[in-house]
């Protein structure tokens, strides 16, 4: 048996009903998935003038490191460098920070290695680079940089003794090395 022929207006009504059902289904699914619609409720990335948010990560040996209890307030300034071991720009910036910190008693440098290869790669990098002033912690899941608006490496923050971010910088070019040193010197006064 054949289905009865439908008129053009009936076909149009069926399409409209199908689209309406699909739209309602989609709205229902989105309403039960937390945060699926409310993208504007995403937290604003922290930057200069904001308080640094605590992190709890591990160093290359697996020892827990917390910003608030292990780093904050120990020195007047802390440079937080987000880097990975395969990034040549990261190495250049780390070299500059290490050299500056060698001559200062008031600056700590913490490198958050966002290398997906984990603590093993971090430990090998730390041993090969011999940056004696840099404390390394590992964030293999890249969870910390986005809090500060970074989705790339290198990126750097300077935090004062009280935990306030006094400098935020993303990216590094060899040609900007002197400008970087000058900007950092102003913040470290």
């Amino acid at each position: 048996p054949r289905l009865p022929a439908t008129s053009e207006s009936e076909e149009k009504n069926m399409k409209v009903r199908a689209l309406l059902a699909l739209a309602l289904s989609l709205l229902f699914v989105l309403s039960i998935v937390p945060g699926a619609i409310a993208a504007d409720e995403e937290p604003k990335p922290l930057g200069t003038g904001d308080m640094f948010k605590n992190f709890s990560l591990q160093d290359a040996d697996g020892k827990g490191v917390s910003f608030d209890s292990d780093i904050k307030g120990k020195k007047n300034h802390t440079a937080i460098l987000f880097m990975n071991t395969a990034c040549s720009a990261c190495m250049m910036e780390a070299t500059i920070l290490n050299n500056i910190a060698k001559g200062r008693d008031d600056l700590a440098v913490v490198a958050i290695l966002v290398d997906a290869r984990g603590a093993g790669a971090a430990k090998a990098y730390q041993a090969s680079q011999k940056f004696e002033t840099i404390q390394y912690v590992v964030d293999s899941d890249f969870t910390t940089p986005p809090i500060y608006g970074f989705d790339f490496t290198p990126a750097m923050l300077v935090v004062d003794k009280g935990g306030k971010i006094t400098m935020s910088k993303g990216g590094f070019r060899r040609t900007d090395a002197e400008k970087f040193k000058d900007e950092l010197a102003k913040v470290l006064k």
Side-chain angles (χ1 to χ4, degrees):
R2 296 182 66 193
L3 295 173
T6 57
S7 70
E8 234 178 271
S9 65
E10 287 176 327
E11 280 185 41
K12 202 181 246 184
N13 283 341
M14 286 176 25
K15 287 179 183 177
V16 167
R17 283 188 206 136
L19 285 173
L20 184 60
L22 180 63
L24 288 172
S25 298
L26 182 62
L27 282 174
F28 174 75
V29 168
L30 290 175
S31 71
I32 61 171
V33 177
I37 296 176
D40 60 333
E41 292 179 19
E42 291 278 321
K44 176 186 147 263
L46 301 174
T48 303
D50 293 321
M51 294 304 289
F52 189 82
K53 185 177 178 193
N54 185 44
F55 63 73
S56 291
L57 299 168
Q58 293 184 343
D59 66 13
D61 294 320
K63 180 184 171 220
V65 176
S66 164
F67 178 78
D68 283 351
S69 62
D70 299 318
I71 300 166
K72 180 180 171 184
K74 303 281 193 249
K75 302 235 177 168
N76 288 342
H77 308 279
T78 302
I80 308 284
L81 176 63
F82 300 103
M83 63 179 292
N84 76 61
T85 59
C87 170
S88 61
C90 297
M91 183 186 283
M92 286 186 274
E93 191 163 352
T95 301
I96 291 171
L97 287 170
N98 183 63
N99 290 337
I100 291 171
K102 279 184 198 178
R104 300 184 67 107
D105 291 334
D106 64 342
L107 175 63
V109 181
V110 177
I112 298 180
L113 294 172
V114 293
D115 198 307
R117 296 175 294 163
K123 197 167 190 168
Y125 183 82
Q126 184 175 1
S128 71
Q129 296 310 311
K130 298 186 181 8
F131 291 141
E132 60 272 5
T133 66
I134 298 179
Q135 176 182 0
Y136 294 90
V137 294
V138 181
D139 179 7
S140 302
D141 297 326
F142 203 87
T143 57
T144 312
I147 295 169
Y148 304 95
F150 302 125
D151 57 0
F152 51 85
T153 61
M156 190 201 69
L157 300 166
V158 175
V159 182
D160 71 12
K161 192 172 191 161
K164 185 177 179 182
I165 300 169
T166 57
M167 181 178 176
S168 177
K169 182 191 86 51
F172 184 84
R173 294 185 303 201
R174 182 184 307 270
T175 56
D176 290 340
E178 291 307 314
K179 180 180 173 188
F180 168 64
K181 290 176 193 177
D182 291 343
E183 289 173 3
L184 190 57
K186 288 176 189 172
V187 172
L188 299 178
K189 286 190 218 179

